[in-house]
Amino acid sequence: MSRRPLVAGNWKMNMLNADGVALAREIAEKYAALKSPKCDVLVCPPAIWVAGVAQAVAGKIAVGAQDCHAAESGAHTGDISVPMIKDAGASFVIVGHSERRTNHHETDADVKAKAEAVIKHGLTAVICIGETEAQRDAGKTIDVCRSQIQGSMPDGATAENVVIAYEPVWAIGTGRTPTTKDVEDVHAAIREAIAAKTDKKTADGMRILYGGSVKPSNAEELMALPDVDGALVGGASLKAADFWAIVEAC
Ligand code: PGA
């Protein structure tokens, strides 16, 4: 089963409008100049810049939001719904990033409800999972990932409407990464967990990204692993040259 890799940039709470538009435009232009690109590219700016960035990249690369509310509309001050994200020109939404799970106390059930809203409106959910350092030290990495897949993946998940991002919490923004053997083992276990939750065909087609301190110097090695189907990139997605080097590694 061949899976088309996806390189996704998660800008987090960074970038003002003009810099974000310039960054996205540079990536989009480089991508559009490729004769036969071997991977998909996605940028996820802060919600307030999604519409402007979507307009700037003009469909050359995909644009996503970093979070959403599970409801379509209503009395949720400060929140943003999936129909709004779609209307702004995005086609992906990251849900369940560890910074949301930690800082906003989002549970697997919350993440599942958000992912359900994303796929209901025809967008693709990038569902993030991953263990903390304490869980890793306790030998619970695979159990944690399995239970997050079980709890966060919506029932209607397919290889088209869901992407999984495995991001060990301790590797995010720290410059530390698991060994390639660990990444390989965890990704294989995640694919088994997806098969248990859906079916083998869905699991074989679903993209599993690795995230956590991906940079130009380690991208090639990580992207070459058999069950790694791309990357979710934080810090290194803020500089066009670094992000582009990761796209090229893919
Ligand atoms: P990082 O972040 O690449 O800066 O480690 C990854 C992420 O949180 O998605």
Side-chain angles (χ1 to χ4, degrees):
M1 165 74 64
S2 78
R3 295 176 293 267
R4 189 173 165 83
L6 170 68
V7 180
N10 171 14
W11 296 0
K12 308 193 180 185
M13 198 173 71
N14 293 294
M15 293 285 170
L16 295 181
N17 189 25
D19 290 342
V21 163
L23 170 64
R25 191 172 278 143
E26 187 174 342
I27 298 296
E29 273 158 21
K30 280 182 191 293
Y31 186 79
L34 295 176
K35 281 208 184 66
S36 55
K38 304 256 181 330
C39 69
D40 296 333
V41 171
L42 163 69
V43 291
C44 301
I48 193 167
W49 308 137
V50 165
V53 164
Q55 209 168 22
V57 305
K60 291 177 180 138
I61 57 171
V63 178
Q66 300 172 11
D67 180 44
C68 64
H69 195 283
E72 291 185 15
S73 61
H76 304 289
T77 302
D79 282 314
I80 295 166
S81 73
V82 179
M84 292 169 186
I85 291 166
K86 185 176 181 178
D87 200 28
S91 50
F92 285 76
V93 185
I94 298 172
V95 293
H97 190 281
S98 69
E99 286 150 18
R100 301 287 320 171
R101 290 180 187 260
T102 305
N103 303 347
H104 299 268
H105 313 291
E106 291 186 7
T107 62
D108 280 337
D110 295 329
V111 176
K112 181 178 177 183
K114 290 180 182 206
E116 248 155 26
V118 173
I119 68 177
K120 176 176 173 203
H121 292 283
L123 281 72
T124 301
V126 180
I127 303 176
C128 302
I129 61 168
E131 82 288 358
T132 63
E133 187 152 34
Q135 289 165 332
R136 163 159 294 236
D137 291 345
K140 295 206 154 56
T141 298
I142 287 175
D143 287 349
V144 168
C145 291
R146 202 177 280 141
S147 116
Q148 286 178 331
I149 289 287
Q150 197 57 37
S152 308
M153 232 172 58
D155 296 333
T158 68
E160 286 73 42
N161 64 20
V162 167
V163 173
I164 299 296
Y166 167 58
E167 299 202 306
V169 178
W170 54 273
I172 295 176
T174 59
R176 296 162 59 204
T177 52
T179 63
T180 49
K181 168 87 174 75
D182 283 349
V183 173
E184 196 176 326
D185 290 350
V186 178
H187 276 237
I190 291 170
R191 201 171 299 286
E192 276 173 27
I194 298 168
K197 170 90 181 175
T198 60
D199 54 71
K200 185 161 185 325
K201 186 162 173 279
T202 302
D204 282 346
M206 193 174 285
R207 294 183 283 191
I208 307 175
L209 314 184
Y210 168 77
S213 296
V214 177
K215 46 193 178 221
S217 59
N218 62 18
E220 206 167 319
E221 188 180 30
L222 287 163
M223 297 306 112
L225 300 172
D227 276 302
V228 175
D229 310 308
L232 181 55
V233 186
S237 72
L238 300 174
K239 283 203 190 114
D242 288 354
F243 188 63
W244 190 250
I246 295 168
V247 173
E248 285 192 315
C250 222

